[in-house]
Amino acid sequence: MAGTGAFDEIRGTPGDPAGRPEFAELLQWIEDTPSSELDRRQKAAEAAFRQLGITFAVYGEDESAERIIPFDIVPRIFTGREWANLSEGLVQRVEAINAFLADIYGPRRILADKVVPEELILSNPQFRPMLAGAKPPHGVFAHICGIDLVRTGPDDFWVLEDNARTPSGVSYMLENREAMLRLCPELFEQFKVAPIDSYPDALLETLQSVSPRNQGAGATCVLLTPGHYNSAFYEHSFLADSMGIELVEAADLEVDDDKVWMRTIEGRVQVDVIYRRIDDDYLDPLVFRPDSLLGVPGIIAAYMAGNVALVNAPGTGIADDKAIYSYMPEIVRYYSGGDAKLPNVETYRCREADALRYTLDNLDKLVVKLVDGSGGYGMLVGPTATKAQIEDFRAALIAEPHRYIAQPTLALSTVPTLTDAGVAPRHVDFRPFVLSGAKGVTITPGGLTRVALREGSLVVNSSQGGGTKDSLILTGPEVRA
Amino acid sequence: MLSRTANSLYWIGRYVERAEFTAKLIEATIRLDALSARPAGQGAWDSALLVAAADQDFALTGETRTPLAISRYLTLSADNANSVRSCLDAARSNAKSVRTALSRDAWEAINRAWLGLRGRASTGGSQATLSLVEQIRAETRGFEGALHRMLRNEAYAFIGLGAAMERADNTARLIDVKYHLLLPEGEKVGGPIDRDQWTTILHTVSAVTAYRWLYSEGLKPWLVAELLCLRRELPRSLIASSEEAIGHLNAIGKRTGLQGEADRLARVRHNALERTTIDAIFNQGLHEWLTAFIRENTRIHSAIGQQFRFS
């Protein structure tokens, strides 16, 4: 197996003869199982995904072009200790994100104390000035966060991105596990793996806990989807189904007397909690985009009146904005009183003159991102970019420096992955899902591992051809050590 | 249950039923075509278009009425909103938007049926068409099987209601068109009508053996009509479909407390069917009677939409 020079999640640091002894059995499994057999199982998993309709639509292509996200049969594994450390850092970070949101939509202490520049918040397109003073039910803003992590060494985890709006991918976490349990049961005999199938229950409890009327399990919770043409529709229906709540479209809801109702065959039913998978901009044509047909007129008024919980609350985009990201270490320290347990990737804010100069001088070594870009669009990966691409970005940076940040290219860790030429290392990232309810923060022991399937590529986004793997969190004896 | 969900479920029932009926219609037409000398064989395809209510729309395509063109139009054409493909597209699209109301098996069955037709451009000759039709029928049977294992809740009842309403409509049109077409001008009812063509009707509703079990006589047109209109043992008959619709409406009423105009109309229709005889129908005129039945079915369909706030 050819090395990439990067830390490998299963084999360890290149050249280190100790490797990762805790995963020796997995390595043995990879080596003992002929790649034709791995290939057969992988194809069986993908056929099952196709049949179940676990697909995503690619914008601009017709419905028949629905694709499945490639699934890789070789899992990624965390030791119990690694997971415990990660969890602590994630809880700390997500608590800080919620405190930050409550602060900037409330008293704005952090701005008064000049920890974060005021104009960076107040003039940010993700900041919703009309929501100033909003107190979401039970004080929770970002109920579901998907924190993107990357790893560069045995103890080096970095937060790449905080997804605090409507992070997706949790259905793949659950379906990938189902596929692995069916196709590779022997792995689960060898390793004691923490179960993840309680995620829908945990999510439902989180939703119920923030109901304004405090009815507990009696709260009417719904999942609001833009509809079945949306690329993440499978996930929306999967989650609604596994929680046993209604999957609604905007047309199923109406607002009356600042309360939200859904239209049923038996008449109207009051809705308490809306897990919305529609962006802020499309949520309410009376407040945001008037041209949107997806939204529910009056839903923001109902939210401001405290009669409905929106999950995640509107306006949370300010917390995962890439321009704010570089301040996260300060934000975590400000609200938690301690240093961030999970570090940021070093980030150059191109709006600052020194950072811009450094970025322009080192474009061939850096990753440059649009602060409001996502899904791998609007991004320059310096080391693999062509001269023309670099010059295009140089011009764009000089024209509008405030729209960009730059980061060093990290040697992302790899995981053995089944390729046409047998098992070979491919770069991965990892997105655990963090739930914040009225009773605190919980994390299901797992997450979505995304893998760049092309050799050497660092781009893991599914819209850019990335795949996924199951992510196993061990609960074996080494946790107690 | 959301009104939109109920509406989609109801239409899943209708579309899958329509797809299956059209598939069987094609199968029976191929059989009739093979048995008959020209131009009777051509007449078989013309009547298939009429039964599928696709006669005028086919004319608009400007294509020549060849068996191949007609069978392609009825099975795969995307231009025909009632082709098997279009029905499965619509059923799958509805199913996708209300996936949470379907069992996993039921969704998979619809999705599989839809996948099976994806990328098919041509039916090929009659042999290939038959095997395609057989595949479609196997898939729709799979859906019915999956349905059978669903919870007996509103979702199940709305799909069943849609299927029962669609089946009543299809069967009535089948009898009407065949009867109309086959009965030559001035011919007396019950006269010597080509027995192959009556057999074809029975084939379309999978009732050839059923006829033998229920009637010890040879094939008699008025008995075929009686079987299809008034024998509740035959699940495709008008009376059985009517009874099934009432059963589903009752189930919904029991679970939601919602009963109304749709229930009332469905019961009135069923009582009338129970009281009538095939002789009375023939005295009134079979065509007139069937036309009234189809119109009544449409009224019940609209009442269902209003009762459950579909729009």
Side-chain angles (χ1 to χ4, degrees), chain B residues 14-35:
Chain B
R14 289 204 74 142
Y15 281 128
V16 173
E17 182 67 33
R18 194 175 295 176
E20 192 193 0
F21 177 78
T22 307
K24 277 199 288 208
L25 177 67
I26 293 160
E27 192 176 38
T29 306
I30 290 173
R31 190 178 174 280
L32 178 58
D33 188 5
L35 287 171

Side-chain angles (χ1 to χ4, degrees), chain A residues 17-95:
Chain A
R20 304 200 72 193
E22 57 272 51
F23 300 148
E25 281 177 277
L26 179 69
L27 207 51
Q28 200 62 49
W29 175 81
I30 297 171
E31 272 154 20
D32 289 352
T33 316
S35 45
S36 60
E37 173 61 15
L38 290 175
D39 196 44
R40 187 192 67 75
R41 296 189 199 183
Q42 184 153 315
K43 292 218 160 63
E46 293 193 343
F49 289 166
R50 166 77 63 196
Q51 189 162 322
L52 285 168
I54 308 179
T55 55
F56 71 108
V58 179
Y59 290 116
E61 297 183 14
D62 66 15
E63 197 178 10
S64 58
E66 284 177 3
R67 294 190 198 157
I68 56 167
I69 296 184
F71 169 71
D72 186 71
I73 196 102
V74 184
R76 176 236 196 107
I77 304 201
F78 290 93
T79 66
R81 189 164 22 79
E82 283 171 344
W83 179 251
N85 291 339
L86 277 183
S87 299
E88 270 182 43
L90 289 167
V91 170
Q92 180 200 39
R93 191 159 180 117
V94 167
E95 284 177 348

Side-chain angles (χ1 to χ4, degrees), chain A residues 84-335:
Chain A
N85 291 339
L86 277 183
S87 299
E88 270 182 43
L90 289 167
V91 170
Q92 180 200 39
R93 191 159 180 117
V94 167
E95 284 177 348
I97 286 173
N98 271 298
F100 171 68
L101 286 164
D103 190 14
I104 59 168
Y105 287 107
R108 298 186 185 161
R109 287 190 297 117
I110 196 168
L111 305 187
D113 290 341
K114 303 207 179 305
V115 177
V116 178
E118 190 174 81
E119 84 280 1
L120 189 63
I121 304 289
L122 302 186
S123 65
N124 192 303
Q126 292 303 323
F127 181 67
R128 309 286 181 204
M130 66 288 257
L131 298 178
K135 289 201 181 85
H138 302 270
V140 186
F141 278 85
H143 311 78
I144 299 143
C145 287
I147 309 290
D148 286 347
L149 300 169
V150 294
R151 185 179 199 178
T152 56
D155 300 308
D156 306 310
F157 286 93
W158 309 86
V159 176
L160 198 58
E161 208 169 289
D162 300 287
N163 297 288
R165 295 172 226 192
T166 53
S168 60
V170 80
S171 57
Y172 292 96
M173 167 178 98
L174 297 168
E175 293 287 6
N176 287 352
R177 176 63 52 85
E178 286 301 314
M180 289 299 284
L181 283 168
R182 212 168 43 243
L183 292 165
C184 304
E186 70 270 26
L187 278 181
F188 296 86
E189 286 157 18
Q190 278 173 23
F191 293 103
K192 234 179 140 31
V193 177
I196 54 172
D197 50 4
S198 62
Y199 180 82
D201 290 340
L203 179 59
L204 182 60
E205 261 174 55
T206 301
L207 298 182
Q208 288 166 343
S209 79
V210 295
S211 167
R213 293 193 285 173
N214 297 311
Q215 323 92 307
T220 301
C221 306
V222 300
L223 195 154
L224 175 61
T225 174
H228 72 272
Y229 295 108
N230 184 270
S231 63
F233 181 77
Y234 171 75
E235 174 152 307
H236 306 163
S237 68
F238 173 90
L239 287 175
D241 206 15
S242 32
M243 287 189 283
I245 67 175
E246 289 287 359
L247 178 65
V248 302
E249 296 176 12
D252 299 321
L253 299 179
E254 63 192 20
V255 178
D256 186 13
D257 193 22
D258 284 349
K259 296 186 178 83
V260 182
W261 307 84
M262 67 174 161
R263 301 188 175 98
T264 78
I265 56 173
E266 295 157 272
R268 305 198 308 181
V269 174
Q270 191 182 345
V271 175
D272 302 297
V273 182
I274 301 175
Y275 177 17
R276 48 94 175 200
R277 296 291 297 259
I278 293 183
D279 290 342
D280 285 0
D281 278 346
Y282 303 97
L283 206 47
D284 186 342
L286 300 182
V287 180
F288 302 116
R289 292 179 56 158
D291 56 327
S292 165
L293 298 173
L294 293 177
V296 184
I299 200 171
I300 293 296
Y303 164 72
M304 295 296 277
N307 290 330
V308 71
L310 296 177
V311 173
N312 290 348
T316 54
I318 188 71
D320 67 18
D321 183 77
K322 291 191 179 71
I324 304 300
Y325 164 88
S326 62
Y327 290 93
M328 280 308 289
E330 286 95 327
I331 291 172
V332 171
R333 195 176 309 117
Y334 186 78
Y335 295 107

Side-chain angles (χ1 to χ4, degrees), chain B:
Chain B
M1 171 178 286
L2 294 173
S3 298
R4 174 177 55 82
T5 307
N7 187 27
S8 293
L9 291 166
Y10 175 82
W11 276 103
I12 291 169
R14 289 204 74 142
Y15 281 128
V16 173
E17 182 67 33
R18 194 175 295 176
E20 192 193 0
F21 177 78
T22 307
K24 277 199 288 208
L25 177 67
I26 293 160
E27 192 176 38
T29 306
I30 290 173
R31 190 178 174 280
L32 178 58
D33 188 5
L35 287 171
S36 325
R38 308 255 141 209
Q42 181 60 41
W45 286 102
D46 289 342
S47 84
L49 279 176
L50 282 171
V51 173
D55 189 48
Q56 289 179 352
D57 288 339
F58 182 81
L60 290 178
T61 64
E63 284 191 73
T64 317
R65 289 171 177 259
T66 61
L68 187 65
I70 295 174
S71 73
R72 202 196 72 83
Y73 188 72
L74 292 177
T75 44
L76 294 175
S77 171
D79 300 332
N80 174 8
N82 292 317
S83 70
V84 175
R85 154 168 299 158
S86 299
C87 287
L88 291 177
D89 272 356
R92 197 248 185 187
S93 178
N94 275 298
K96 205 174 160 194
S97 76
V98 298
R99 260 191 78 154
T100 51
L102 292 173
S103 68
R104 203 159 171 146
D105 282 347
W107 155 253
E108 281 189 33
I110 289 188
N111 197 40
R112 204 170 39 232
W114 175 82
L115 284 170
L117 281 190
R118 238 167 34 135
R120 292 285 297 253
S122 149
T123 49
S126 49
Q127 183 53 48
T129 306
L130 277 177
S131 79
L132 178 66
V133 159
E134 185 44 51
Q135 176 200 334
I136 293 160
R137 291 189 50 195
E139 297 292 5
T140 54
R141 276 198 301 271
F143 175 67
E144 279 163 22
L147 211 55
H148 195 67
R149 285 161 188 75
M150 268 177 68
L151 281 179
R152 294 299 188 268
N153 57 11
E154 295 96 306
Y156 175 80
F158 276 112
I159 298 172
L161 183 59
M165 294 298 293
E166 179 72 23
R167 196 177 308 137
D169 180 72
N170 292 162
T171 301
R173 276 188 297 116
L174 174 72
I175 310 167
D176 192 30
V177 170
K178 287 291 184 190
Y179 172 79
H180 218 52
L181 180 94
L182 301 176
L183 195 67
E185 198 73 33
E187 185 85 17
K188 215 166 150 267
V189 170
I193 295 175
D194 183 5
R195 79 180 253 121
D196 281 335
Q197 299 196 323
W198 283 103
T199 315
T200 303
I201 299 184
L202 291 177
H203 265 294
T204 308
V205 297
S206 312
V208 180
T209 329
Y211 182 92
R212 307 279 171 222
W213 278 103
L214 290 173
Y215 301 100
S216 47
E217 299 182 55
L219 211 59
K220 297 281 174 2
W222 58 90
L223 292 182
V224 175
E226 185 192 57
L227 174 67
L228 295 182
C229 294
L230 299 177
R231 291 299 293 252
R232 45 164 46 96
E233 303 95 315
L234 182 77
R236 283 218 64 104
S237 72
L238 300 183
I239 195 166
S241 305
S242 147
E243 194 163 15
E244 200 180 323
I246 291 175
H248 290 304
L249 283 166
N250 276 344
I252 297 166
K254 247 188 222 156
R255 292 183 57 91
T256 64
L258 264 178
Q259 291 197 303
E261 186 65 2
D263 297 75
R264 194 185 68 77
L265 289 175
R267 289 218 180 91
V268 169
R269 170 174 79 174
H270 191 62
N271 288 340
L273 281 169
E274 276 187 316
R275 280 198 307 270
T276 197
T277 62
I278 198 64
D279 289 342
I281 291 173
F282 272 112
N283 284 336
Q284 181 189 341
L286 180 60
H287 172 64
E288 287 70 22
W289 188 85
L290 288 168
T291 308
F293 180 90
I294 291 168
R295 204 175 302 129
E296 186 60 13
N297 202 54
T298 308
R299 267 181 76 194
I300 299 173
H301 166 81
S302 309
I304 291 170
Q306 274 176 11
Q307 186 164 318
F308 300 110
R309 304 171 170 89
F310 277 1
S311 55

